Amino acid sequence: MNDLSTVQDPDETRRPEERSEAQQRRISALLPKLWDASPAWRRRLQGSNVSPTDFGAPDVLTRLTPVAKSDLVALQAEDPPFGGFFIGDLTSSSRVFMSPGPIYDAQLGTTDIGGFARGLRAGGFARGDIVLNTFAYHLTPAGHAFESGALSLGCVVVPAGTGNTEQQARLLKDLPVTGYMGTPSFLRMLVERADWHFTTACVAAEKLTEDERAVLESRGGRVSQLYGTADLGYLAGECEARAGMHLTEDKVIEVLDPATGEPVPEGEIGQVAVTTFSPTYPFLRLTTGDLTRVVSTEMCECGRTSARIAGVLGRVGPGVKVRGMFVYEHHVRAALERHGLGVGRLVIRRVAGQDTLTLEIVEPLSDEQQGDLLRTLRDEIKLRAEIEMVPEVDAETPKLVDAREIWQA
């Protein structure tokens, strides 16, 4: 476990003024490229009354209208595959991913593709660690992104992916695995199933409460939370001090009022907006729909000087994250309608630290029909659910109900 004062990246300890100046230079260099090479971004800039004469202004970023991640589905459908935001030839990418929505994302390069190495290092991973990666490798980028970040640190990665719990439990008895990457709920399942005592775990894609962390650490070593998205990669993560999640150095991250799009004062809750500097697939103020607040802008005892956020405190917009995947109401509606069901709802609950999905329907179906319906739903949301027959479901009830009590401010 690294000493609190050990930080390997000098960018993480620079003065905040240096960080702001460097970000401003990158923004000023990015805008002319978007204006010239992307009609979609040019229209966005013009819609915000931003022209080339404004590109060097210190407030230019805050003048731009945010783009909501929830709008990417429609934007990409209108101008496939990337909504006109991709610059250049798609063959410059090494992978293309599809997230529920669907939303398509392009991967550039093969080394630390999501920028997660910084967060994994802060979370305690180091050269020589043998790490079980339980994030999905199929269509979504999480598995590849976490793996490439760990490999860039010199770790050995076991590419387990999702599911196959018994097989992974056997693996943990046979191999000297010390580290874990995945959701906290699956870590708890493996710890209990395999009687496994890990050294370091970096978890993401689900809320980690302090009670859940205490349970996990009673069976192993250190558990740190990371935060990122499929479109944007790594955004923030905990160091050993656990005094908030450090914002990453290679993106501009703001906390905005969901109603006005204006930055909120330090300490107030708003939604995350991110500006990236990818040479071919950048974003300007893409809002994730995740709510957070800045807990400190002072230097951490670990030596890092970046602002720290409280993690994800809730959601705005229609998307709900379950086991690391976003589920939308239109997914549930589409599955029900495909089987001629007008009434029903998908209920998400938190039971013994695990997210469960129950599709409540009224109309009686045979076992075969239920199996067909669940397969259709799984095709839509990439997750397994169970069916429960209920006496009634109000036709006005939303098709997607999040009954978990896991978001804490």
Side-chain angles (χ1 to χ4, degrees), residues 145-377:
F146 275 81
E147 176 180 285
S148 65
L151 290 175
S152 70
L153 295 178
C155 300
V156 177
V157 176
V158 181
T162 58
N164 299 314
T165 307
E166 293 300 331
Q167 188 174 1
Q168 294 199 39
R170 170 61 187 270
L171 180 156
L172 292 172
K173 294 179 183 296
D174 294 340
L175 295 177
V177 176
T178 58
Y180 171 89
M181 299 185 295
T183 63
S185 60
F186 194 61
L187 174 59
R188 182 170 181 174
M189 187 182 300
L190 288 176
V191 164
E192 294 173 350
R193 192 75 57 91
D195 192 26
W196 179 44
H197 295 266
F198 60 90
T199 301
T200 308
C202 286
V203 301
E206 290 178 354
K207 178 70 175 180
L208 175 69
T209 67
E210 289 307 314
D211 287 344
E212 289 170 335
R213 195 201 307 259
V215 170
L216 291 171
E217 292 190 335
S218 71
R219 299 293 300 273
R222 173 180 165 194
V223 179
S224 300
Q225 251 189 130
L226 276 62
Y227 168 47
T229 75
D231 319 88
L232 302 165
Y234 175 67
L235 300 178
E238 291 180 310
C239 69
E240 193 173 350
R242 290 183 182 170
M245 303 177 77
H246 293 274
L247 298 181
T248 190
E249 296 293 327
D250 60 350
K251 303 173 180 75
V252 178
I253 301 175
E254 305 171 89
V255 182
L256 307 180
D257 185 313
T260 66
E262 296 294 324
V264 300
E266 179 181 337
E268 291 191 11
I269 294 177
Q271 73 167 321
V272 176
V274 183
T275 296
T276 67
F277 299 99
S278 165
T280 59
Y281 196 39
F283 282 105
L284 298 173
R285 305 191 98 191
L286 182 71
T287 56
T288 67
D290 295 323
L291 294 171
T292 193
R293 60 185 174 85
V294 173
V295 296
S296 179
T297 55
E298 300 297 322
M299 184 176 73
C300 178
E301 61 179 298
C302 73
R304 293 175 176 85
T305 57
S306 59
R308 284 165 276 156
I309 60 174
V312 178
L313 304 177
R315 288 281 302 167
V316 295
V320 175
K321 186 175 281 188
V322 185
R323 303 177 202 157
M325 303 291 287
F326 278 106
V327 180
Y328 295 87
E329 188 170 5
H330 69 264
H331 291 146
V332 185
R333 183 178 294 107
L336 292 170
E337 291 177 352
R338 197 169 304 170
H339 291 265
L341 302 175
V343 176
R345 66 178 190 169
L346 183 67
V347 182
I348 307 160
R349 297 183 177 90
R350 189 81 162 169
V351 180
Q354 308 287 327
D355 288 339
T356 66
L357 295 94
T358 304
L359 184 62
E360 297 182 347
I361 59 174
V362 176
E363 185 173 339
L365 299 177
S366 67
D367 290 345
E368 182 179 357
Q369 290 173 321
Q370 289 187 30
D372 290 341
L373 174 57
L374 289 177
R375 280 188 287 273
T376 299
L377 180 64

Side-chain angles (χ1 to χ4, degrees), residues 69 72-73 76 97-105 231 281 328:
K69 175 175 177 173
L72 288 183
V73 175
Q76 291 187 352
F97 300 107
M98 182 179 76
S99 300
I103 295 175
Y104 295 97
D105 296 297
D231 319 88
Y281 196 39
Y328 295 87

